[in-house]
Amino acid sequence: GNILLDGAARAARRGKAVGKRALTGDLAIGQRAQRLLIERVGKRIDLDRGHGVERDTLKRLAVQIGKLAGHLAKALVATRLEHVGRQGDGPNAGIVQGADVVDRGTAGVADAQFAIKLLGNAAGGPRGGGPPAETVKRLRFGVAGEGGVYHNFGEQFAALENETSNGTIELRTTAGSAANLRLLTGEYLQLAIAQADLAQDACNQTGIFAEEEDIRGFGAVAALYTEACQVIVRADSAIQSIEDLQGKTVSIGAEESGSEQNALQILSAYGLNDRLVDTINLNYTDAADQLKAGKIDAIVITVGTPSPVVTELAGECGIRLLNVDGTAAQRLLSSYNAYREVTIPAGTYPGQDADVQTVGVKAVLLASDSLPAKQVQQLTELLFSSREALEEQLGLALDPETDAVEGVGIPFHAGAAAWYKQAGITVD
């Protein structure tokens, strides 16, 4: 146990370094450092069967601890916690200070707790001996940043769930889909929302997850709605098409967000790369502020419509949405199976006089495999029995149960699958 906890502490310290490397743009070095840590912790585990746990099992646990540390540090630092300021020397000084705070205040504790849990499981704890809990009392729900539809949905769904005896939801603000997927894998979150394309990449170890292992441990509950890829410029801008973005400054979303991946794919479909477009990573609210101030030329975001942030921006400075259509859209649809055609109807945003054609992906509610099937089945029942009330509160059409199994692309949680079976719907 002491060896594992020591390994966790080392992992937490290295995780901070990995997070710093990621924030300063040297992610490859950070990942190599993380792998080195995993090897070193693994070599330190040299216990035999006499300790009640096989040596190989402990090595695997050490590997998980090391990986969790790196993922947790990157994901939590990327949340832009209130501790993160930009004071100090150099543009990254405040963020590095924030990484220190996150490491001391969160990552080390979480890794130590996870180590204890893993040791208990390996030695015949809850998974090995006793029966599984029927209900997890506290459900941490990763909902991305404030102002987005994920966060709004999370607030409304939590209010409904917290009136039941099926567990209490606590919202967690995160950097978005990629962070949610990593935190689900590490069991820091029990529920999360992520874009279908990123969830598929995580399960298939493709895209931004190509160099990572074990980004699994979760299943789909339901596709909630289709998120539209929205390319936004000021109404008074001379930019009329995506081709006109050449030579312009474009916000493509937070680093490793679903918006970033979609933005780069859309620009590439139009023959625009990072040498032709000056891309910048900003979250929704910062991007809106900078577009309003004239500091950037366009925003690309993937979000449900209407987005509160975009609605507010349209009311403050006037906006125009660009079409993603024609040959470029067909190229996206044929290259990535998560994409689908989307129409943003006229009047969705203030001043929008015509329909806008674009592409989009499903937003998917996910549950950790650590949650009991019965509890997830009850969450699924709550989702669909409350769909009309949620739609009214969100101002957003949610997928009915027959559509909620389409466009997901990953296996469903056993509890959700049981609910669909009762409803006469077949899922993977």
Side-chain angles (χ1 to χ4, degrees):
N2 288 335
I3 292 176
L4 274 177
L5 290 176
D6 179 59
R10 286 172 169 265
R13 289 194 294 273
R14 182 62 67 184
K16 177 184 70 176
V18 173
K20 288 182 182 180
R21 297 284 192 182
L23 287 167
T24 54
D26 202 353
L27 181 57
I29 292 178
Q31 289 175 331
R32 286 199 296 273
Q34 184 179 329
R35 286 194 291 271
L36 179 61
L37 167 77
I38 292 168
E39 292 172 4
R40 288 180 176 175
V41 172
K43 288 177 181 178
R44 292 197 60 199
I45 304 295
D46 195 20
L47 302 183
D48 56 26
R49 295 176 185 270
H51 288 81
V53 184
E54 293 187 15
R55 177 186 175 192
D56 289 344
T57 299
L58 284 174
K59 281 188 175 181
R60 287 196 297 272
L61 300 185
V63 167
Q64 292 183 41
I65 292 168
K67 289 180 179 178
L68 175 68
H71 299 330
L72 187 65
K74 285 187 286 186
L76 291 177
V77 171
T79 61
R80 301 179 72 254
L81 298 177
E82 293 179 357
H83 298 60
V84 178
R86 291 187 178 272
Q87 71 279 8
D89 298 324
N92 292 314
I95 290 182
V96 171
Q97 292 166 11
D100 291 333
V101 172
V102 169
D103 174 60
R104 289 194 301 272
T106 307
V109 173
D111 287 327
Q113 291 173 337
F114 191 56
I116 294 170
K117 178 178 180 181
L118 288 173
L119 182 60
N121 291 342
R127 289 185 184 175
E134 292 185 4
T135 301
V136 175
K137 294 183 179 179
R138 187 175 67 157
L139 304 171
R140 290 184 292 262
F141 190 177
V143 291
E146 294 184 7
V149 180
Y150 288 9
H151 203 283
N152 290 347
F153 174 88
E155 289 180 332
Q156 302 302 329
F157 189 66
L160 294 171
E161 170 63 13
N162 293 348
E163 294 179 355
T164 75
S165 59
N166 193 42
T168 300
I169 289 179
E170 299 176 357
L171 299 187
R172 292 291 184 267
T173 299
T174 68
S177 292
N180 285 347
L181 291 163
R182 292 188 175 110
L183 293 171
L184 271 174
T185 296
E187 298 186 21
Y188 178 78
L189 299 176
Q190 287 73 50
L191 297 170
I193 306 175
Q195 289 184 198
D197 51 342
L198 287 185
Q200 292 172 20
D201 282 344
C203 287
N204 298 329
Q205 292 181 258
T206 54
I208 64 174
F209 300 100
E211 300 300 321
E212 301 181 26
E213 299 176 8
D214 301 326
I215 302 295
R216 290 183 176 84
F218 55 84
V221 175
L224 297 175
Y225 54 87
T226 299
E227 298 188 89
C229 299
Q230 301 169 56
V231 186
I232 304 163
V233 298
R234 289 175 57 111
D236 57 5
S237 169
I239 299 170
Q240 299 295 325
S241 68
I242 292 181
E243 290 92 335
D244 293 341
L245 294 177
Q246 182 171 338
K248 306 299 184 183
T249 300
V250 180
S251 169
I252 57 174
E255 187 176 358
E256 285 200 340
S257 65
S259 290
E260 180 188 47
Q261 176 162 288
N262 299 148
L264 294 175
Q265 290 169 350
I266 290 170
L267 292 172
S268 177
Y270 281 87
L272 299 173
N273 56 33
D274 57 4
R275 294 190 300 274
L276 299 176
V277 177
D278 182 15
T279 59
I280 183 172
N281 292 108
L282 297 171
N283 65 25
Y284 295 163
T285 53
D286 289 345
D289 288 343
Q290 293 207 21
L291 185 69
K292 183 171 60 176
K295 295 180 179 179
I296 61 175
D297 301 295
I299 302 171
V300 184
I301 61 171
T302 301
V303 66
T305 58
S307 161
V309 169
V310 179
T311 298
E312 182 178 350
L313 178 64
E316 291 178 344
C317 74
I319 62 168
R320 184 170 61 254
L321 275 67
L322 306 182
N323 289 302
V324 179
D325 57 6
T327 303
Q330 291 306 312
R331 189 175 294 123
L332 290 166
L333 293 168
S334 61
S335 299
Y336 308 99
N337 61 15
Y339 280 121
R340 56 202 58 244
E341 293 179 308
V342 176
T343 299
I344 303 176
T348 298
Y349 296 114
Q352 182 196 343
D353 299 327
D355 291 352
V356 174
Q357 302 303 318
T358 185
V359 295
V361 296
K362 291 282 189 176
V364 183
L365 178 62
L366 304 167
S368 169
D369 287 347
S370 66
L371 288 181
K374 184 174 180 60
Q375 187 171 14
V376 175
Q377 185 174 357
Q378 291 171 342
L379 287 166
T380 311
E381 167 63 27
L382 177 66
L383 172 66
F384 290 113
S385 65
S386 306
R387 183 167 65 88
E388 291 183 1
L390 287 168
E391 288 179 331
E392 183 176 352
Q393 291 162 342
L394 296 169
L396 175 74
L398 298 177
D399 288 348
E401 48 266 46
T402 51
D403 294 338
V405 299
E406 302 295 332
V408 174
I410 65 170
F412 278 76
H413 192 285
W419 187 91
Y420 289 113
K421 184 177 180 180
Q422 287 185 347
I425 302 169
T426 302
V427 299
D428 293 332

